[in-house]
Amino acid sequence: MALSIGIVGLPNVGKSSLFTALTKKTGFAANYPFATIEPNVGLVPVPDKRLEALAKLDHAKKIVPATVEFVDIAGLVEGASHGEGLGNKFLANIRDTDAICEVVRFFSDPNVEHVSKKVDPEADVDTIKTELILADIATIEKALPRLEKDAKRYGKDRALLFETAKKVHEGLLEEHRALSLDLSDEEKDVIRELCLLTMKPILYIANVDEDRLNDELPEIDGQKPVPICSKTEAELAELDPEDAEMFLEEMGMTESGLVRLIQAAYRLLGLQSYFTSGEVEARAWTIPVGAKAPQAAGVIHSDFERGFIKAETASFEDYIALGGEKGCREAGKLRQEGKDYVVQDGDVMHFKFNV
């Protein structure tokens, strides 16, 4: 399954233009609210030069990168939690994503009207934060009577959800995101049933003017935003890889906004990649940081995890330096790892299993 990120923002912050550029997919961008009526979805390969190096070394017939699913969701306005704008339709579309990526307007373009008549990143962030909190308050208040009955009828497990819901409700009323509350792992696990919007990790994109791409930007909601210029990304999307690299050099940049965004999303969600490589294909797989070998195998197929025996593993650096699997084996760098092995970012792996 691809990592799914919902791209949100107030109208006219450049959200749909950015989505179009990042996914190289023609969307409908217009200078008025709600140009995106239905959520557009685009699958984007995760750029990783290590994968290309593996494919070249092993003469792989194809390269299969990891992917990120971007969902462009219609612009949010103040009052959405009460049905303003596209209201609950917008909020429902966010519920299906793994994380929220909020595009915040930093650019100054007099031809693109701001919904609040002025460019004010902090106010924009507060507006969306408030709407998500209000939506979660409504969700919990609707669920509490049912959860109380379940707690009395079914005992301990349902009682934990009821008590956690009340705790989160209190935090929301104090204008705290659910994710920022001091919840135990058990509480976090049970509250997922309610699909709260403010339990989702959030990262911020600062949509800046081209000449501010390398500027130090102020923090938003306690975190550094990822600076991206949607116009620059649109130009990059039209270039082949070599020309795009030259264009980035001329801009004084080493990475595109897409790469920076995906890296930020992986860090936010605690994700990393490992590889499988051979003549058939070189492929990247996305797993949580800290995942053990059987869990990593299960990303390929559940049978791999169920019947896991061992993993033959080499670091990416050793694999490339020693000329692949054969060279690693001869040099003693192809390790036999068992069920307790914690997979490292960039590991090249081959699994042995039996079902």
Side-chain angles (χ1 to χ4, degrees), residues 24-265:
K24 299 184 181 180
K25 175 180 177 178
T26 303
F28 177 38
N31 181 21
Y32 56 87
F34 316 126
T36 312
I37 302 301
E38 296 293 338
N40 284 317
V41 179
L43 269 181
V44 178
V46 175
D48 196 324
K49 291 183 178 179
R50 297 175 298 180
L51 193 57
E52 296 167 16
L54 290 172
K56 184 177 181 181
L57 177 64
D58 286 332
H59 308 289
K61 293 183 175 66
K62 65 177 179 178
I63 296 176
V64 185
T67 56
V68 173
E69 179 185 79
F70 286 109
V71 184
D72 178 27
I73 299 169
L76 179 66
V77 294
E78 188 173 354
S81 57
H82 301 295
E84 292 295 325
L86 295 178
N88 292 331
K89 188 179 180 66
F90 164 89
L91 299 170
N93 290 332
I94 302 178
R95 293 188 196 280
D96 297 329
T97 62
D98 298 309
I100 297 172
C101 173
E102 182 177 339
V103 181
V104 183
R105 178 172 174 174
F106 276 69
F107 68 87
S108 53
D109 185 342
N111 296 316
V112 180
E113 184 180 11
H114 190 284
V115 70
S116 301
K117 311 301 181 186
K118 62 179 180 178
V119 177
D120 187 343
E122 286 190 13
D124 292 356
V125 167
D126 284 342
T127 295
I128 288 187
K129 178 182 177 181
T130 298
E131 292 306 318
L132 298 183
I133 286 174
L134 288 172
D136 281 351
I137 289 172
T139 296
I140 290 182
E141 289 180 349
K142 182 178 179 182
L144 280 174
R146 170 179 58 83
L147 297 179
E148 185 174 16
K149 288 180 183 177
D150 287 351
K152 292 174 181 176
R153 184 179 304 172
Y154 300 113
K156 183 180 177 182
D157 289 343
R158 302 307 289 176
L160 177 61
L161 175 55
F162 176 54
E163 293 302 323
T164 304
K166 289 197 295 181
K167 181 178 179 179
V168 171
H169 184 248
E170 289 174 8
L172 293 168
L173 289 175
E174 294 173 359
E175 300 184 357
H176 299 300
R177 296 180 192 275
L179 191 62
S180 71
L181 300 175
D182 184 19
L183 302 177
S184 68
D185 289 343
E186 248 190 322
E187 289 171 328
K188 288 176 184 176
D189 189 49
V190 296
I191 201 66
R192 286 195 183 97
E193 181 180 317
L194 298 184
C195 299
L196 299 178
L197 301 174
T198 62
M199 275 299 291
K200 292 184 183 296
I202 187 167
L203 61 86
Y204 296 98
I205 289 180
N207 193 4
V208 299
D209 293 307
E210 198 171 84
D211 59 2
R212 293 195 65 193
L213 273 169
N214 295 312
D215 287 2
E216 187 73 20
L217 298 175
E219 286 191 350
I220 299 177
D221 198 23
Q223 63 172 274
K224 285 284 187 183
V226 180
I228 292 181
C229 174
S230 58
K231 291 181 180 178
T232 300
E233 293 302 310
E235 291 179 58
L236 283 168
E238 298 299 321
L239 301 175
D240 60 45
E242 287 185 8
D243 288 341
E245 201 166 317
M246 289 175 59
F247 181 79
L248 285 171
E249 284 179 13
E250 290 171 6
M251 296 280 297
M253 299 163 59
T254 57
E255 297 170 326
S256 69
L258 173 62
V259 172
R260 290 198 303 274
L261 171 56
I262 290 176
Q263 289 174 344

Side-chain angles (χ1 to χ4, degrees), residues 299-310:
V299 173
I300 298 176
H301 196 285
S302 58
D303 284 350
F304 283 32
E305 181 173 8
R306 186 159 53 91
F308 179 88
I309 299 172
K310 65 179 179 179

Side-chain angles (χ1 to χ4, degrees), residues 9-24:
L10 293 173
N12 296 346
V13 297
K15 179 179 57 64
S16 294
S17 297
L18 182 63
F19 170 84
T20 301
L22 294 179
T23 61
K24 299 184 181 180

